[in-house]
Amino acid sequence: MKLQRTNRLRTVALGAIAVSGALVLTACGSDDNSGNGSGGGSGSTKAAGNIKCEGKGQLLASGSSAQKNAMDLWVKNFMAACKDIQVNYKPTGSGAGIQEFLQGKTAFAGSDSVLKPEEVTKSKEVVKGGQGINLPLLGGPIAIGYKVPGVDNLVLDADTLAKIFDSKIEKWNDEAIKKLNPDAKLPDLKIQAFHRSDESGTTDNFTKYLKAAAEKSWPYAPAKAWAAKGGQSADGSAGVSSQVKQTPGAISYFELSYATANKIDTVKLNTGAAAPVEATSDNASKAIAEAKITGTGQDLALKLNYATKAEGAYPITLVTYEIVGDKGNKAETLPATKSFLTYIASEDGQSVLKDLGYAPLPAEIAKKVRESIANLS
């Protein structure tokens, strides 16, 4: 997630987040570490006592903007404890982050989608004797934010969302929207649907939801790059959320914390459950709990159930992964990489997520992630 969240984060008891993330590119590696980090869930005071620091120098990473707010706080806590390590994370988007990792420029990448088979193959050229693996580190709801004058309790379903984002429904007083919102005063206002202009794991997860839950109305294959017709675009989660905030009639998809930070109304989803489901961390956790591990060995790729009808389960949910080599990481960065990842996967690292609008990992998945990190080499 991007920089615009600063104002909201200052209000959080966890403390202000002020890490810029200037990225000086270096090689793929990580650091070797025995970092048994658990740290500063609630800020640097606690962090300094709980994080085990190993390695030194710069630790460079890039990728998912969805995890930007969490990464800012994790970095702040970690660097408060580990004075000899500077962590620079650049929220370039999942596609760009994976590309930089596969070019050997970063120690790890953040991605809201797992590596493709061809990317795993490519990673073997960078992490010699090993390959890139997917380590889930946080989850969260993808909120559907909107700005419709006079409407602050909007309900939509997958079919209607698919038609809105494919330019098949063009006015806010369309009959399909009226049917879902019989008591709302829907204006005769043009819908301004915004999508990401950059390749994004958020787009990938959103379109996976549309494909799974509204297949007949969404003819496109899920992907990081936007495929539907029409609409407008903006760069990153910060870009699309900013457009929604300032544009009457706008609607877009972005991580919940962007909606919270910018005071943007969010859609409740009619999933077929007894009541429409709101985008909250707890409701996202209910959906993530249904995920199945599909990775093998140290790889912990998950498969989410985007079409869930479970009560209170919010289905437009993403899991953000840190992409790192299982073996063959660079010796000069391996200790710091392991130390940092150990911290963010720890109970302390996970405990800060809810206040930022994310969903912590289910306990059984978090345990497996910690085991994989301990075995990085």
Side-chain angles (χ1 to χ4, degrees):
M1 301 174 177
K2 288 201 174 179
L3 298 173
Q4 294 190 344
R5 210 132 299 136
T6 305
N7 290 339
R8 166 184 179 322
L9 296 178
R10 283 189 183 129
T11 69
V12 176
L14 306 174
I17 294 172
V19 176
S20 78
L23 181 65
V24 183
L25 299 177
T26 70
C28 151
S30 334
D31 331 349
D32 149 39
N33 155 287
S34 8
N36 203 334
S38 33
S42 303
S44 59
T45 312
K46 192 176 176 190
N50 294 340
I51 296 173
K52 184 176 178 182
C53 306
E54 303 214 3
K56 59 184 178 180
Q58 280 202 328
L59 187 60
L60 308 177
S62 65
S64 166
S65 65
Q67 69 173 351
K68 168 75 167 62
N69 285 346
M71 189 60 74
D72 277 347
L73 184 56
W74 281 335
V75 168
K76 173 180 176 284
N77 289 344
F78 183 79
M79 288 174 57
C82 303
K83 307 295 186 184
D84 292 334
I85 303 171
Q86 182 181 3
V87 182
N88 286 317
Y89 181 83
K90 185 177 179 180
T92 54
S94 298
I98 288 175
Q99 182 180 28
E100 288 182 337
F101 175 76
L102 294 178
Q103 291 170 346
K105 294 177 176 178
T106 53
F108 65 89
S111 176
D112 308 318
S113 301
V114 298
L115 291 170
K116 298 174 183 176
E118 60 269 27
E119 291 171 337
V120 174
T121 300
K122 178 71 174 174
S123 72
K124 294 177 182 179
E125 301 173 12
V126 180
V127 284
K128 304 298 184 181
Q131 64 181 44
I133 57 172
N134 307 281
L135 298 178
L137 262 304
L138 62 82
I142 300 171
I144 307 300
Y146 68 95
K147 184 174 185 175
V148 182
V151 180
D152 57 8
N153 191 23
L154 185 67
V155 175
L156 296 174
D157 59 15
D159 186 69
T160 307
L161 277 171
K163 291 174 180 175
I164 286 173
F165 279 92
D166 197 25
S167 302
K168 299 291 183 7
I169 292 178
E170 298 183 333
K171 290 288 190 75
W172 279 110
N173 61 351
D174 187 275
E175 288 302 319
I177 302 177
K178 283 184 179 179
K179 186 175 180 181
L180 290 163
N181 300 273
D183 299 325
K185 294 182 180 179
L186 296 164
D188 182 13
L189 178 66
K190 180 175 174 58
I191 294 173
Q192 308 281 353
F194 286 88
H195 56 266
R196 292 277 291 268
S197 59
D198 54 320
E199 288 201 4
S200 160
T202 310
T203 296
D204 193 24
N205 282 275
F206 178 53
T207 54
K208 282 177 180 175
Y209 160 74
L210 294 176
K211 191 66 175 177
E215 185 175 8
K216 292 181 180 178
S217 298
W218 191 254
Y220 312 100
K224 294 187 184 76
W226 187 256
K229 306 298 184 285
Q232 302 177 66
S233 65
D235 184 62
S237 295
V240 290
S241 60
S242 176
Q243 290 296 328
V244 171
K245 183 177 176 64
Q246 67 190 19
T247 309
I251 186 170
S252 190
Y253 56 93
F254 37 80
E255 296 71 39
L256 177 61
S257 58
Y258 286 93
T260 305
N262 291 288
K263 296 182 171 57
I264 295 172
D265 290 326
T266 60
V267 168
K268 292 181 180 177
L269 292 178
N270 181 337
T271 63
V277 184
E278 188 176 357
T280 68
S281 296
D282 286 340
N283 291 345
S285 290
K286 291 174 184 175
I288 294 171
E290 296 186 25
K292 302 288 189 290
I293 295 176
T294 57
T296 58
Q298 288 176 247
D299 187 282
L300 298 173
L302 301 176
K303 182 177 182 180
L304 298 169
N305 179 9
Y306 295 97
T308 180
K309 296 181 180 180
E311 296 300 325
Y314 184 81
I316 316 181
T317 300
L318 60 75
V319 170
T320 293
Y321 300 87
E322 308 314 327
I323 309 296
V324 66
D326 56 354
K327 293 180 287 189
N329 294 289
K330 295 203 177 297
E332 61 269 27
T333 54
L334 179 59
T337 298
K338 289 180 70 174
S339 187
F340 180 66
L341 294 180
T342 297
Y343 159 57
I344 68 177
S346 71
E347 288 185 13
D348 284 339
Q350 291 289 300
S351 72
V352 307
L353 294 176
K354 216 178 213 185
D355 286 331
L356 299 179
Y358 299 100
L361 295 174
E364 63 277 10
I365 295 177
K367 182 175 182 291
K368 293 182 191 304
V369 170
R370 292 169 196 143
E371 291 169 354
S372 284
I373 293 169
N375 288 323
L376 296 179
S377 62

